[in-house]
Amino acid sequence: MSTIANILAQVEDPADLKAIEAAGSAGFAYGLAAIGPGIGIGYLVGQAVQAMARQPESAGQVQTTMFLGIAFTEALALIGFVVFILLKFV
Amino acid sequence: MMQALIAFAEEVEGGSESPVPFPPPRNLVEWAPIFGEGSTFEFNKIALIAVIAFALPTLIFLFARGGSADNPSKMRIFAEGIVNFVEEKIAKPGIGHGYEPYVPLLTTFFLFIVIGNLFEVIPFFQMPLNARMAAPLILALTAWAMFIAVGLKHHGFKYVKDVIWPPSVENPFMRGFVGFIELFSTFIARPLSHAVRLFANMLAGHILLVTFGVLTIGTFAAIGLSFSGGISAVAWVGSLAGLIAFTGFEVGVSFIQGFVFAILAAVYIGSSLHPAH
């Protein structure tokens, strides 16, 4: 921990400091954005597998709906990824 | 261990440049023009991929006209397989009855996106078409214009009224509130998330492959270093395995994203065609 404090203390250029803080907050942005969709997709696919195991004849329909649900849930994580790119590189 | 890592970092830092630096992000997605530099018709690798992704399905379906229904040519069987897949797996579940007029549009979406995405893993191209926002944005705006046009054609102004003033909500105060959210989610959030989903997936996959490529080369270059050679050799095997595994993974993602884009377009068109009662 002291190493990071030392590095931060040595930074004099404000642009560098801004870049360091942007890199740190970019990591937080994507990390936080991944929590919800991670839980959501896990739950969704688990339930879909259970549905397919109980009724194998409706597996095709369940699969299509599952992909649809994943697409909606995943959008949040992807927006977090876009925010990460914006913070880090723009 | 910690000492060795710090020494390794200092050796890399001290040498003014790491053996293989991670390329700046602009180099990952921007390509030099092939011809027409500076003009409106500047043509680079992305444009070349877009032209191929447009021309390949066109050629497939032109050649598929050979043979007859009784004695189909191989290309015809292949093309019929694609159309049948789009009909059975995308159009029918997404739109419901009355799906037939929209199958050509959905087939175009599916083929253009899948072929554009597959250039992510094709050697010498290795750039997914949809990792630039232009392609997914135009595709999503096409789907957006399509589902609004379908709603207006089949239900007239009642389509817009049902979105802003949804009849399924009883309480008039709640109805206005839900209508406001629906207005935002249908006409603004839908095309945006539709485009960003495809764009961010492909850009993330592209950066992932670049990361593992750089890791593989960098660890290979570091094997020669005296005290960290052993660690680097292990890391090189891991990076190479990861690169191969994620290349296969990205082929799957290319197909899934094309499928998801097309089925979402189908669901949006279906929700305009048969609004909730």
Side-chain angles (χ1 to χ4, degrees), chain B residues 15-33:
Chain B
S16 78
E17 285 286 308
S18 64
V20 184
F22 194 81
R26 288 201 177 285
N27 293 12
L28 301 181
V29 290
E30 287 182 3
W31 300 92

Side-chain angles (χ1 to χ4, degrees), chain B residues 164-230:
Chain B
I164 304 175
W165 198 247
S168 53
V169 184
E170 293 297 331
N171 185 339
F173 177 73
M174 283 306 288
R175 190 181 273 198
F177 185 64
V178 170
F180 178 72
I181 295 175
E182 279 291 305
L183 181 72
F184 177 78
S185 85
T186 307
F187 296 121
I188 297 169
R190 249 186 205 183
L192 200 69
S193 71
H194 203 188
V196 164
R197 180 175 300 116
L198 178 59
F199 160 72
N201 255 305
M202 296 330 289
L203 183 65
H206 184 54
I207 293 177
L208 193 71
L209 290 185
V210 170
T211 308
F212 272 91
V214 170
L215 264 178
T216 309
I217 302 169
T219 47
F220 185 73
I223 286 177
L225 297 178
S226 54
F227 52 85
S228 58

Side-chain angles (χ1 to χ4, degrees), chain B residues 57-110:
Chain B
T58 314
L59 287 177
I60 289 175
F61 283 102
L62 278 180
F63 281 115
R65 296 168 55 173
S68 61
D70 300 325
N71 182 21
S73 63
K74 277 177 184 163
M75 193 58 99
R76 187 172 181 139
I77 294 173
F78 178 60
E80 277 180 0
I82 296 173
V83 174
N84 196 37
F85 172 78
V86 172
E87 248 182 27
E88 293 294 325
K89 296 280 178 190
I90 297 175
K92 219 180 261 181
I95 299 180
H97 63 92
Y99 67 88
E100 292 87 356
Y102 309 105
V103 172
L105 178 78
L106 298 174
T107 313
T108 312
F109 276 156
F110 179 69

